[in-house]
Amino acid sequence: MRWPRLRTFALIGAAGSIAGLAAFWILTLPAVVPASALPPYSPNPDNGKTMFDIGGCASCHAVPNKDPDKVDRTRLGGGLGVKSPFGTFYVPNISPDPRDGIGNWSEANFVTALWKGTSEHGNHLFPTFPYASYQHMRLDDVRDLFAYIKTLPPVAGKVRRHDLSFPFNVRRLVGGWKLLFLHGGPFVPDPSNSAQWNRGAYLVEGPGHCAECHSPRNALGAIIASERFAGGPAPDGDGWVPNITPLGLQHGNEVWSEKDIASFLNDGMTPSGDFAGGAMTEVIRNTSLLSANDRAAIAAYVVSLPPTQGPTRPPKKKKEN
């Protein structure tokens, strides 16, 4: 009687495993936005440029140059290597080149990438591409951004594959990540706050994707919701990103006012007279191109963030003599 029972248990276990894998496969199917979901619309490339600037598209996708001042922001051939705890991601070509870029993408393909994190071939995109924030963008703004990118010059050249170790190179597992962490939709204004505050909230939480750098992450690379905007290790492991909640900006030796934040987004100068460094210099290149009203709106939202304690910054290593 023993062997038939073992065989029965084995068959039940195998059936359960198959059912579990089938359920996982179905639940992790890449989501898409069909063309039929896009109503008639005449895109506004000028607004698309604003989305391009606040989104920092050129900072990642422009062809790298050793001299940052010589980078051509219109040549989106990609190639930048982005280090992470999971390996190195290489930013793709999103120029209008029909073979190597997104020249053959439909508008629905583009909306799908930003809202759902799914490629034009129906594969999961890695969340290094900040679609967890871009999903909050309004449809018209996404379509305007696509229209603006199409006005830029095509750049030939495929970017090398990501350098990731197993199992982080398995795209299907990203579907599980999305089930856990990709929630939400286009930004909904808060009627209890001003139009300026809502504009700032939209720019910060959506296209600006500020939380993607200014928040600590868990072991799976997702933002720790309870410490959003509270700073922590830089995503590439190089340096420390500051806490931009009032606990970080309105305490200590350097107290930031709303005007200080708006001014900083224009010229990169801190209230103490120092200037932004590291990755923030690229952010300032982008925010300096925004209107003064948009920078003021961002500042109005940032000062309203709830004070949040983030990770403790490790002490600086002493230099050896």
Side-chain angles (χ1 to χ4, degrees):
M1 295 294 292
R2 182 182 178 186
W3 291 112
R5 286 178 180 176
L6 289 176
R7 185 174 63 181
T8 299
F9 288 142
L11 289 173
I12 292 173
S17 297
I18 293 172
L21 288 172
F24 177 80
W25 188 262
I26 293 171
L27 291 172
T28 59
L29 284 171
V32 298
V33 177
S36 60
L38 306 182
Y41 180 67
S42 297
N44 177 1
D46 289 338
N47 179 56
K49 185 180 185 304
T50 297
M51 294 298 107
F52 180 87
D53 292 332
I54 184 60
C57 303
S59 297
C60 283
H61 290 279
V63 177
N65 190 302
K66 292 182 179 180
D67 184 350
D69 292 328
K70 293 182 179 179
V71 171
D72 185 341
R73 294 172 55 86
T74 68
R75 294 178 55 79
L76 307 180
L80 178 70
V82 179
K83 295 180 180 179
S84 81
F86 311 104
T88 302
F89 296 88
Y90 291 92
V91 181
N93 183 335
I94 64 164
S95 79
D97 187 85
R99 186 183 67 176
D100 300 326
I102 63 173
N104 283 332
W105 281 29
S106 67
E107 196 175 48
N109 289 151
F110 191 78
V111 174
T112 292
L114 269 67
W115 273 8
K116 304 299 182 181
T118 301
S119 75
E120 79 282 15
H121 297 303
N123 298 317
H124 290 298
L125 295 170
F126 291 106
T128 315
F129 177 54
Y131 50 77
S133 292
Y134 291 158
Q135 67 173 333
H136 302 309
M137 291 180 66
R138 288 187 286 261
L139 177 59
D140 289 354
D141 286 340
V142 175
R143 299 172 84 174
D144 289 346
L145 174 59
F146 185 54
Y148 173 71
I149 289 176
K150 288 195 296 184
T151 70
L152 303 179
V155 180
K158 280 285 187 185
V159 173
R160 60 171 294 182
R161 290 178 176 272
H162 302 311
D163 184 10
L164 307 175
S165 58
F166 181 83
F168 306 117
N169 59 348
V170 180
R171 289 184 182 268
R172 193 66 186 211
L173 294 179
V174 177
W177 187 95
K178 290 178 178 180
L179 282 176
L180 293 172
F181 306 115
L182 188 65
H183 306 293
F187 175 79
V188 177
D190 181 352
S192 68
N193 280 295
S194 67
Q196 182 190 52
W197 184 94
N198 276 292
R199 174 66 173 175
Y202 173 67
L203 294 176
V204 169
E205 300 285 0
H209 61 278
C210 304
E212 302 290 340
C213 282
H214 283 280
S215 305
R217 295 177 178 271
N218 61 24
L220 296 178
I223 289 173
I224 299 174
S226 62
E227 298 179 38
R228 194 172 177 85
F229 296 111
D236 62 1
D238 184 16
W240 192 266
V241 180
N243 184 333
I244 60 170
T245 74
L247 197 62
L249 293 180
Q250 297 175 11
H251 293 80
N253 297 327
E254 190 171 63
V255 177
W256 294 68
S257 68
E258 188 173 325
K259 288 185 177 180
D260 289 331
I261 296 171
S263 177
F264 175 72
L265 295 173
N266 182 44
D267 58 20
M269 189 171 75
T270 69
S272 64
D274 199 0
F275 284 88
M280 195 64 197
T281 58
E282 275 300 309
V283 176
I284 300 301
R285 288 179 193 273
N286 298 318
T287 56
S288 66
L289 299 173
L290 300 176
S291 69
N293 287 340
D294 278 347
R295 289 192 295 269
I298 292 171
Y301 179 67
V302 169
V303 298
S304 77
L305 293 171
T308 305
Q309 180 64 55
T312 301
R313 184 172 186 171
K316 293 183 179 179
K317 295 181 180 180
K318 293 183 179 180
K319 294 182 179 180
E320 297 181 0
N321 294 328

